[in-house]
Amino acid sequence: IDSYSNEVSWIYQGLKGDLERIAFNKALKEGIKLDGLEGLAATQFFTDGYMVEHLVKNIIDWSESDITHTCFVDPACGGGNFLTKAFDYLFNWYSQNTDYTRKEIVERIIKHNIIGYDLDPTLGEIAALSLYIHASQYETPDTRINIFSGVENDKYGYLASKVISTKKSQSS
């Protein structure tokens, strides 16, 4: 990814190395089942930039689609790398296909076209910061970034803050 905004997520990836080692030692040497933040630290990974670019570029026919009512949802957004790349494609589409100002485009994308979620509250904050920094390269957004993260005791990942998913359903 060629954006400074994603550097925050890569820094976090490097810093959590100690958490990963501790978690893997508990799981492998002590046989302890990981959950909570330790489980998250051991199972998170970041997608390389070339793969992000390929997937976002090919998810939709950007030249023919009307994306004004399209919402890109990343249900495991991590540091927001997919969302920032989708932001670029969305911005280019709006610039070429509408008469909106740069500010209007940024606000529209943030309000209507991008949503992210991550179980890890720290990564949720990093994704929001990354997307804000990235959008600011075009115009500084006034709108709240649509990145959500797990609520306390949320083990299975629900967006609604009033729903705490501490029990598996019968079908799980």
Side-chain angles (χ1 to χ4, degrees):
I1 305 271
D2 55 359
S3 171
Y4 292 115
S5 59
N6 291 319
E7 293 300 321
V8 177
S9 61
W10 287 105
I11 290 169
Y12 177 74
Q13 176 78 354
L15 292 175
K16 76 176 188 81
D18 287 339
L19 295 173
E20 283 180 12
R21 281 188 286 287
I22 291 167
F24 284 126
N25 280 337
K26 281 186 176 181
L28 298 173
K29 292 181 180 176
E30 301 171 27
I32 297 172
K33 182 179 178 188
L34 300 176
D35 64 1
L37 293 178
E38 288 177 331
L40 292 174
T43 59
Q44 295 168 341
F45 65 92
F46 286 70
T47 308
D48 287 328
Y50 76 92
M51 183 58 68
V52 172
E53 171 70 32
H54 175 76
L55 292 171
V56 172
K57 179 181 178 183
N58 291 295
I59 196 169
I60 190 171
D61 183 348
W62 292 97
S63 64
E64 295 183 19
S65 300
D66 177 0
I67 55 89
T68 55
H69 300 291
T70 300
C71 186
F72 291 86
V73 179
D74 187 344
C77 68
N81 296 346
F82 280 97
L83 299 176
T84 57
K85 184 49 71 179
F87 187 96
D88 289 338
Y89 277 90
L90 289 162
F91 190 91
N92 289 335
W93 186 91
Y94 276 108
S95 295
Q96 294 171 7
N97 295 286
T98 70
D99 293 329
Y100 294 142
T101 65
R102 291 171 65 87
K103 183 71 167 183
E104 290 170 330
I105 293 171
V106 167
E107 294 299 319
R108 183 161 184 82
I109 293 169
I110 297 296
K111 283 182 186 176
H112 302 290
N113 296 115
I114 289 182
I115 296 176
Y117 175 80
D118 202 278
L119 277 173
D120 185 334
T122 302
L123 276 176
E125 290 176 21
I126 288 171
L129 176 61
S130 292
L131 189 54
Y132 180 84
I133 291 169
H134 193 78
S136 295
Q137 294 174 16
Y138 297 95
E139 289 287 332
T140 304
D142 295 328
T143 304
R144 180 186 172 280
I145 305 296
N146 287 323
I147 306 291
F148 303 93
S149 56
V151 295
E152 188 175 336
N153 297 321
D154 183 6
K155 294 182 181 180
Y156 304 108
Y158 288 92
L159 288 173
S161 61
K162 294 180 181 174
V163 177
I164 306 295
S165 57
T166 56
K167 287 188 349 184
K168 287 186 179 181
S169 68
Q170 294 295 328
S171 60
S172 294

PDB file of all heavy atoms in Angstrom, residues 107-134:
ATOM      1  N   GLU A 107     -16.859  13.466   2.059  1.00  0.00           N
ATOM      2  CA  GLU A 107     -17.942  13.291   3.030  1.00  0.00           C
ATOM      3  C   GLU A 107     -18.890  12.168   2.612  1.00  0.00           C
ATOM      4  O   GLU A 107     -19.317  11.363   3.434  1.00  0.00           O
ATOM      5  CB  GLU A 107     -18.715  14.603   3.210  1.00  0.00           C
ATOM      6  CG  GLU A 107     -17.909  15.713   3.839  1.00  0.00           C
ATOM      7  CD  GLU A 107     -17.419  15.392   5.241  1.00  0.00           C
ATOM      8  OE1 GLU A 107     -18.180  14.799   6.040  1.00  0.00           O
ATOM      9  OE2 GLU A 107     -16.266  15.736   5.548  1.00  0.00           O
ATOM     10  N   ARG A 108     -19.222  12.110   1.348  1.00  0.00           N
ATOM     11  CA  ARG A 108     -20.132  11.071   0.849  1.00  0.00           C
ATOM     12  C   ARG A 108     -19.527   9.678   1.031  1.00  0.00           C
ATOM     13  O   ARG A 108     -20.210   8.753   1.474  1.00  0.00           O
ATOM     14  CB  ARG A 108     -20.466  11.326  -0.611  1.00  0.00           C
ATOM     15  CG  ARG A 108     -21.461  10.328  -1.149  1.00  0.00           C
ATOM     16  CD  ARG A 108     -22.132  10.845  -2.401  1.00  0.00           C
ATOM     17  NE  ARG A 108     -23.137   9.914  -2.822  1.00  0.00           N
ATOM     18  CZ  ARG A 108     -24.371   9.844  -2.332  1.00  0.00           C
ATOM     19  NH1 ARG A 108     -24.762  10.671  -1.396  1.00  0.00           N
ATOM     20  NH2 ARG A 108     -25.233   8.949  -2.786  1.00  0.00           N
ATOM     21  N   ILE A 109     -18.258   9.534   0.689  1.00  0.00           N
ATOM     22  CA  ILE A 109     -17.605   8.230   0.835  1.00  0.00           C
ATOM     23  C   ILE A 109     -17.599   7.802   2.302  1.00  0.00           C
ATOM     24  O   ILE A 109     -17.957   6.669   2.631  1.00  0.00           O
ATOM     25  CB  ILE A 109     -16.171   8.262   0.263  1.00  0.00           C
ATOM     26  CG1 ILE A 109     -16.205   8.441  -1.254  1.00  0.00           C
ATOM     27  CG2 ILE A 109     -15.416   6.988   0.644  1.00  0.00           C
ATOM     28  CD1 ILE A 109     -14.851   8.734  -1.867  1.00  0.00           C
ATOM     29  N   ILE A 110     -17.197   8.717   3.165  1.00  0.00           N
ATOM     30  CA  ILE A 110     -17.121   8.403   4.600  1.00  0.00           C
ATOM     31  C   ILE A 110     -18.503   8.076   5.172  1.00  0.00           C
ATOM     32  O   ILE A 110     -18.650   7.144   5.955  1.00  0.00           O
ATOM     33  CB  ILE A 110     -16.488   9.585   5.384  1.00  0.00           C
ATOM     34  CG1 ILE A 110     -15.047   9.845   4.947  1.00  0.00           C
ATOM     35  CG2 ILE A 110     -16.562   9.354   6.894  1.00  0.00           C
ATOM     36  CD1 ILE A 110     -14.081   8.734   5.233  1.00  0.00           C
ATOM     37  N   LYS A 111     -19.520   8.816   4.776  1.00  0.00           N
ATOM     38  CA  LYS A 111     -20.875   8.608   5.313  1.00  0.00           C
ATOM     39  C   LYS A 111     -21.586   7.406   4.722  1.00  0.00           C
ATOM     40  O   LYS A 111     -22.338   6.723   5.405  1.00  0.00           O
ATOM     41  CB  LYS A 111     -21.749   9.841   5.036  1.00  0.00           C
ATOM     42  CG  LYS A 111     -21.503  11.004   5.927  1.00  0.00           C
ATOM     43  CD  LYS A 111     -22.480  12.124   5.561  1.00  0.00           C
ATOM     44  CE  LYS A 111     -22.176  13.376   6.341  1.00  0.00           C
ATOM     45  NZ  LYS A 111     -23.036  14.489   5.945  1.00  0.00           N
ATOM     46  N   HIS A 112     -21.403   7.169   3.407  1.00  0.00           N
ATOM     47  CA  HIS A 112     -22.273   6.225   2.714  1.00  0.00           C
ATOM     48  C   HIS A 112     -21.589   5.011   2.079  1.00  0.00           C
ATOM     49  O   HIS A 112     -22.268   4.029   1.789  1.00  0.00           O
ATOM     50  CB  HIS A 112     -23.047   6.956   1.600  1.00  0.00           C
ATOM     51  CG  HIS A 112     -23.857   8.093   2.101  1.00  0.00           C
ATOM     52  ND1 HIS A 112     -24.985   7.933   2.878  1.00  0.00           N
ATOM     53  CD2 HIS A 112     -23.711   9.428   1.953  1.00  0.00           C
ATOM     54  CE1 HIS A 112     -25.492   9.109   3.183  1.00  0.00           C
ATOM     55  NE2 HIS A 112     -24.737  10.040   2.631  1.00  0.00           N
ATOM     56  N   ASN A 113     -20.314   5.091   1.801  1.00  0.00           N
ATOM     57  CA  ASN A 113     -19.700   4.041   0.984  1.00  0.00           C
ATOM     58  C   ASN A 113     -18.729   3.123   1.709  1.00  0.00           C
ATOM     59  O   ASN A 113     -18.290   2.133   1.129  1.00  0.00           O
ATOM     60  CB  ASN A 113     -18.962   4.650  -0.219  1.00  0.00           C
ATOM     61  CG  ASN A 113     -19.880   5.360  -1.181  1.00  0.00           C
ATOM     62  OD1 ASN A 113     -19.791   6.570  -1.339  1.00  0.00           O
ATOM     63  ND2 ASN A 113     -20.761   4.625  -1.820  1.00  0.00           N
ATOM     64  N   ILE A 114     -18.353   3.445   2.944  1.00  0.00           N
ATOM     65  CA  ILE A 114     -17.332   2.634   3.620  1.00  0.00           C
ATOM     66  C   ILE A 114     -17.734   2.369   5.073  1.00  0.00           C
ATOM     67  O   ILE A 114     -18.078   3.285   5.814  1.00  0.00           O
ATOM     68  CB  ILE A 114     -15.962   3.340   3.591  1.00  0.00           C
ATOM     69  CG1 ILE A 114     -15.402   3.322   2.173  1.00  0.00           C
ATOM     70  CG2 ILE A 114     -14.993   2.693   4.556  1.00  0.00           C
ATOM     71  CD1 ILE A 114     -14.042   3.953   2.028  1.00  0.00           C
ATOM     72  N   ILE A 115     -17.669   1.084   5.449  1.00  0.00           N
ATOM     73  CA  ILE A 115     -17.878   0.672   6.837  1.00  0.00           C
ATOM     74  C   ILE A 115     -16.844  -0.410   7.156  1.00  0.00           C
ATOM     75  O   ILE A 115     -16.614  -1.315   6.365  1.00  0.00           O
ATOM     76  CB  ILE A 115     -19.286   0.088   7.069  1.00  0.00           C
ATOM     77  CG1 ILE A 115     -20.344   1.155   6.837  1.00  0.00           C
ATOM     78  CG2 ILE A 115     -19.414  -0.481   8.480  1.00  0.00           C
ATOM     79  CD1 ILE A 115     -21.767   0.648   6.948  1.00  0.00           C
ATOM     80  N   GLY A 116     -16.246  -0.310   8.323  1.00  0.00           N
ATOM     81  CA  GLY A 116     -15.305  -1.320   8.770  1.00  0.00           C
ATOM     82  C   GLY A 116     -15.651  -1.808  10.165  1.00  0.00           C
ATOM     83  O   GLY A 116     -16.305  -1.108  10.941  1.00  0.00           O
ATOM     84  N   TYR A 117     -15.230  -3.032  10.470  1.00  0.00           N
ATOM     85  CA  TYR A 117     -15.442  -3.630  11.785  1.00  0.00           C
ATOM     86  C   TYR A 117     -14.242  -4.492  12.109  1.00  0.00           C
ATOM     87  O   TYR A 117     -13.678  -5.158  11.233  1.00  0.00           O
ATOM     88  CB  TYR A 117     -16.714  -4.494  11.792  1.00  0.00           C
ATOM     89  CG  TYR A 117     -16.897  -5.222  13.100  1.00  0.00           C
ATOM     90  CD1 TYR A 117     -17.431  -4.560  14.202  1.00  0.00           C
ATOM     91  CD2 TYR A 117     -16.501  -6.535  13.251  1.00  0.00           C
ATOM     92  CE1 TYR A 117     -17.578  -5.202  15.421  1.00  0.00           C
ATOM     93  CE2 TYR A 117     -16.635  -7.188  14.471  1.00  0.00           C
ATOM     94  CZ  TYR A 117     -17.168  -6.527  15.547  1.00  0.00           C
ATOM     95  OH  TYR A 117     -17.297  -7.158  16.750  1.00  0.00           O
ATOM     96  N   ASP A 118     -13.844  -4.472  13.358  1.00  0.00           N
ATOM     97  CA  ASP A 118     -12.824  -5.399  13.824  1.00  0.00           C
ATOM     98  C   ASP A 118     -13.106  -5.745  15.283  1.00  0.00           C
ATOM     99  O   ASP A 118     -13.532  -4.885  16.053  1.00  0.00           O
ATOM    100  CB  ASP A 118     -11.416  -4.817  13.689  1.00  0.00           C
ATOM    101  CG  ASP A 118     -10.379  -5.922  13.658  1.00  0.00           C
ATOM    102  OD1 ASP A 118      -9.989  -6.416  14.737  1.00  0.00           O
ATOM    103  OD2 ASP A 118      -9.990  -6.330  12.547  1.00  0.00           O
ATOM    104  N   LEU A 119     -12.887  -7.002  15.646  1.00  0.00           N
ATOM    105  CA  LEU A 119     -13.074  -7.413  17.037  1.00  0.00           C
ATOM    106  C   LEU A 119     -12.119  -6.680  17.968  1.00  0.00           C
ATOM    107  O   LEU A 119     -12.454  -6.390  19.102  1.00  0.00           O
ATOM    108  CB  LEU A 119     -12.835  -8.922  17.177  1.00  0.00           C
ATOM    109  CG  LEU A 119     -13.987  -9.840  16.844  1.00  0.00           C
ATOM    110  CD1 LEU A 119     -13.530 -11.291  16.875  1.00  0.00           C
ATOM    111  CD2 LEU A 119     -15.153  -9.637  17.772  1.00  0.00           C
ATOM    112  N   ASP A 120     -10.920  -6.381  17.496  1.00  0.00           N
ATOM    113  CA  ASP A 120      -9.887  -5.739  18.305  1.00  0.00           C
ATOM    114  C   ASP A 120     -10.151  -4.231  18.358  1.00  0.00           C
ATOM    115  O   ASP A 120     -10.040  -3.544  17.338  1.00  0.00           O
ATOM    116  CB  ASP A 120      -8.519  -6.020  17.694  1.00  0.00           C
ATOM    117  CG  ASP A 120      -7.371  -5.500  18.525  1.00  0.00           C
ATOM    118  OD1 ASP A 120      -7.561  -4.536  19.295  1.00  0.00           O
ATOM    119  OD2 ASP A 120      -6.253  -6.036  18.384  1.00  0.00           O
ATOM    120  N   PRO A 121     -10.490  -3.694  19.530  1.00  0.00           N
ATOM    121  CA  PRO A 121     -10.783  -2.270  19.625  1.00  0.00           C
ATOM    122  C   PRO A 121      -9.585  -1.389  19.236  1.00  0.00           C
ATOM    123  O   PRO A 121      -9.771  -0.318  18.664  1.00  0.00           O
ATOM    124  CB  PRO A 121     -11.147  -2.051  21.096  1.00  0.00           C
ATOM    125  CG  PRO A 121     -11.305  -3.392  21.697  1.00  0.00           C
ATOM    126  CD  PRO A 121     -10.675  -4.393  20.788  1.00  0.00           C
ATOM    127  N   THR A 122      -8.379  -1.844  19.517  1.00  0.00           N
ATOM    128  CA  THR A 122      -7.193  -1.069  19.133  1.00  0.00           C
ATOM    129  C   THR A 122      -7.098  -0.976  17.620  1.00  0.00           C
ATOM    130  O   THR A 122      -6.848   0.092  17.063  1.00  0.00           O
ATOM    131  CB  THR A 122      -5.904  -1.692  19.709  1.00  0.00           C
ATOM    132  OG1 THR A 122      -6.027  -1.759  21.142  1.00  0.00           O
ATOM    133  CG2 THR A 122      -4.684  -0.879  19.339  1.00  0.00           C
ATOM    134  N   LEU A 123      -7.313  -2.092  16.939  1.00  0.00           N
ATOM    135  CA  LEU A 123      -7.274  -2.060  15.476  1.00  0.00           C
ATOM    136  C   LEU A 123      -8.421  -1.234  14.907  1.00  0.00           C
ATOM    137  O   LEU A 123      -8.255  -0.575  13.885  1.00  0.00           O
ATOM    138  CB  LEU A 123      -7.295  -3.474  14.894  1.00  0.00           C
ATOM    139  CG  LEU A 123      -5.936  -4.134  14.816  1.00  0.00           C
ATOM    140  CD1 LEU A 123      -6.066  -5.572  14.313  1.00  0.00           C
ATOM    141  CD2 LEU A 123      -4.991  -3.355  13.936  1.00  0.00           C
ATOM    142  N   GLY A 124      -9.574  -1.248  15.553  1.00  0.00           N
ATOM    143  CA  GLY A 124     -10.674  -0.400  15.111  1.00  0.00           C
ATOM    144  C   GLY A 124     -10.269   1.072  15.138  1.00  0.00           C
ATOM    145  O   GLY A 124     -10.530   1.826  14.204  1.00  0.00           O
ATOM    146  N   GLU A 125      -9.586   1.469  16.201  1.00  0.00           N
ATOM    147  CA  GLU A 125      -9.119   2.855  16.307  1.00  0.00           C
ATOM    148  C   GLU A 125      -8.044   3.153  15.266  1.00  0.00           C
ATOM    149  O   GLU A 125      -8.013   4.230  14.674  1.00  0.00           O
ATOM    150  CB  GLU A 125      -8.594   3.129  17.708  1.00  0.00           C
ATOM    151  CG  GLU A 125      -9.688   3.150  18.754  1.00  0.00           C
ATOM    152  CD  GLU A 125      -9.149   3.329  20.164  1.00  0.00           C
ATOM    153  OE1 GLU A 125      -8.016   3.822  20.331  1.00  0.00           O
ATOM    154  OE2 GLU A 125      -9.887   2.974  21.105  1.00  0.00           O
ATOM    155  N   ILE A 126      -7.157   2.191  15.048  1.00  0.00           N
ATOM    156  CA  ILE A 126      -6.104   2.371  14.040  1.00  0.00           C
ATOM    157  C   ILE A 126      -6.715   2.495  12.651  1.00  0.00           C
ATOM    158  O   ILE A 126      -6.311   3.336  11.850  1.00  0.00           O
ATOM    159  CB  ILE A 126      -5.080   1.223  14.113  1.00  0.00           C
ATOM    160  CG1 ILE A 126      -4.233   1.377  15.385  1.00  0.00           C
ATOM    161  CG2 ILE A 126      -4.202   1.172  12.870  1.00  0.00           C
ATOM    162  CD1 ILE A 126      -3.329   0.205  15.691  1.00  0.00           C
ATOM    163  N   ALA A 127      -7.707   1.662  12.350  1.00  0.00           N
ATOM    164  CA  ALA A 127      -8.369   1.733  11.040  1.00  0.00           C
ATOM    165  C   ALA A 127      -9.042   3.091  10.855  1.00  0.00           C
ATOM    166  O   ALA A 127      -8.952   3.691   9.778  1.00  0.00           O
ATOM    167  CB  ALA A 127      -9.382   0.606  10.897  1.00  0.00           C
ATOM    168  N   ALA A 128      -9.723   3.579  11.894  1.00  0.00           N
ATOM    169  CA  ALA A 128     -10.378   4.890  11.802  1.00  0.00           C
ATOM    170  C   ALA A 128      -9.344   5.991  11.585  1.00  0.00           C
ATOM    171  O   ALA A 128      -9.535   6.877  10.743  1.00  0.00           O
ATOM    172  CB  ALA A 128     -11.202   5.155  13.057  1.00  0.00           C
ATOM    173  N   LEU A 129      -8.242   5.927  12.310  1.00  0.00           N
ATOM    174  CA  LEU A 129      -7.180   6.916  12.140  1.00  0.00           C
ATOM    175  C   LEU A 129      -6.577   6.825  10.746  1.00  0.00           C
ATOM    176  O   LEU A 129      -6.376   7.852  10.077  1.00  0.00           O
ATOM    177  CB  LEU A 129      -6.091   6.718  13.205  1.00  0.00           C
ATOM    178  CG  LEU A 129      -4.863   7.626  13.087  1.00  0.00           C
ATOM    179  CD1 LEU A 129      -5.250   9.094  13.217  1.00  0.00           C
ATOM    180  CD2 LEU A 129      -3.819   7.229  14.128  1.00  0.00           C
ATOM    181  N   SER A 130      -6.310   5.625  10.275  1.00  0.00           N
ATOM    182  CA  SER A 130      -5.731   5.439   8.942  1.00  0.00           C
ATOM    183  C   SER A 130      -6.651   5.991   7.860  1.00  0.00           C
ATOM    184  O   SER A 130      -6.201   6.674   6.941  1.00  0.00           O
ATOM    185  CB  SER A 130      -5.465   3.958   8.666  1.00  0.00           C
ATOM    186  OG  SER A 130      -4.441   3.473   9.497  1.00  0.00           O
ATOM    187  N   LEU A 131      -7.940   5.698   7.979  1.00  0.00           N
ATOM    188  CA  LEU A 131      -8.889   6.184   6.972  1.00  0.00           C
ATOM    189  C   LEU A 131      -9.020   7.709   7.039  1.00  0.00           C
ATOM    190  O   LEU A 131      -9.093   8.371   6.002  1.00  0.00           O
ATOM    191  CB  LEU A 131     -10.245   5.511   7.148  1.00  0.00           C
ATOM    192  CG  LEU A 131     -11.267   5.763   6.051  1.00  0.00           C
ATOM    193  CD1 LEU A 131     -10.719   5.406   4.673  1.00  0.00           C
ATOM    194  CD2 LEU A 131     -12.537   4.967   6.334  1.00  0.00           C
ATOM    195  N   TYR A 132      -9.000   8.265   8.233  1.00  0.00           N
ATOM    196  CA  TYR A 132      -9.074   9.716   8.380  1.00  0.00           C
ATOM    197  C   TYR A 132      -7.848  10.387   7.746  1.00  0.00           C
ATOM    198  O   TYR A 132      -7.974  11.349   6.983  1.00  0.00           O
ATOM    199  CB  TYR A 132      -9.179  10.099   9.857  1.00  0.00           C
ATOM    200  CG  TYR A 132      -9.254  11.591  10.077  1.00  0.00           C
ATOM    201  CD1 TYR A 132     -10.471  12.252   9.992  1.00  0.00           C
ATOM    202  CD2 TYR A 132      -8.107  12.333  10.342  1.00  0.00           C
ATOM    203  CE1 TYR A 132     -10.554  13.628  10.174  1.00  0.00           C
ATOM    204  CE2 TYR A 132      -8.180  13.709  10.523  1.00  0.00           C
ATOM    205  CZ  TYR A 132      -9.403  14.343  10.436  1.00  0.00           C
ATOM    206  OH  TYR A 132      -9.470  15.704  10.612  1.00  0.00           O
ATOM    207  N   ILE A 133      -6.661   9.870   8.049  1.00  0.00           N
ATOM    208  CA  ILE A 133      -5.425  10.419   7.467  1.00  0.00           C
ATOM    209  C   ILE A 133      -5.471  10.298   5.952  1.00  0.00           C
ATOM    210  O   ILE A 133      -5.139  11.232   5.230  1.00  0.00           O
ATOM    211  CB  ILE A 133      -4.186   9.703   8.041  1.00  0.00           C
ATOM    212  CG1 ILE A 133      -4.004  10.055   9.519  1.00  0.00           C
ATOM    213  CG2 ILE A 133      -2.933  10.070   7.250  1.00  0.00           C
ATOM    214  CD1 ILE A 133      -2.958   9.190  10.225  1.00  0.00           C
ATOM    215  N   HIS A 134      -5.906   9.147   5.478  1.00  0.00           N
ATOM    216  CA  HIS A 134      -5.953   8.913   4.034  1.00  0.00           C
ATOM    217  C   HIS A 134      -6.932   9.868   3.353  1.00  0.00           C
ATOM    218  O   HIS A 134      -6.604  10.473   2.330  1.00  0.00           O
ATOM    219  CB  HIS A 134      -6.318   7.464   3.742  1.00  0.00           C
ATOM    220  CG  HIS A 134      -6.084   7.072   2.330  1.00  0.00           C
ATOM    221  ND1 HIS A 134      -4.836   6.773   1.851  1.00  0.00           N
ATOM    222  CD2 HIS A 134      -6.932   6.965   1.284  1.00  0.00           C
ATOM    223  CE1 HIS A 134      -4.922   6.493   0.569  1.00  0.00           C
ATOM    224  NE2 HIS A 134      -6.182   6.599   0.197  1.00  0.00           N
TER     225      HIS A 134
END
